[in-house]
Amino acid sequence: SFEVEIASTGQIIPVRKDESMLEALEDNGLFVPVSCEEGVCGTCVTRLLGGEADHKDVFLTDKEKAQMDQVAVCCSRAKSPRLILDL
Ligand code: FES
């Protein structure tokens, strides 16, 4: 598990192993636009301001993934204890 920090409010949201980042956000009233929810379309891609994502999508290129400044919240997770999202 890891946690997500919402940059605009400082809110910290824990993401359990058995839920997606998207589900954790929605449970806290934060709705990111989504479409495929499978890491394909890129609709949910959100700016990443801090932390290291564990990219699980097939939308971002390897180069974009390495830049570590955006993340598909429908399916990706974290390698660092916390991700800071530009929400
Ligand atoms: Fe399609 Fe996340 S909703 S990539």
Side-chain angles (χ1 to χ4, degrees):
S1 59
F2 58 98
E3 57 190 23
V4 167
E5 178 178 335
I6 307 306
S8 63
T9 61
Q11 186 180 3
I12 307 294
I13 297 173
V15 183
R16 298 188 315 264
K17 281 187 169 58
D18 63 346
E19 68 181 351
S20 68
M21 203 168 1
L22 178 68
E23 289 167 335
L25 290 169
E26 288 180 344
D27 285 349
N28 285 274
L30 289 154
F31 297 95
V32 175
V34 293
S35 180
C36 73
E37 298 191 32
E38 291 181 348
V40 176
C41 70
T43 305
C44 69
V45 169
T46 300
R47 252 165 49 90
L48 180 63
L49 301 178
E52 191 180 356
D54 184 8
H55 296 290
K56 303 287 192 191
D57 65 283
V58 296
F59 174 79
L60 297 174
T61 64
D62 288 347
K63 188 178 172 195
E64 287 171 331
K65 287 175 179 169
Q67 284 170 343
M68 213 51 91
D69 59 1
Q70 47 187 341
V71 62
V73 300
C74 70
C75 57
S76 293
R77 305 194 66 80
K79 289 179 177 164
S80 56
R82 183 183 292 184
L83 296 183
I84 305 173
L85 296 180
D86 187 15
L87 290 175

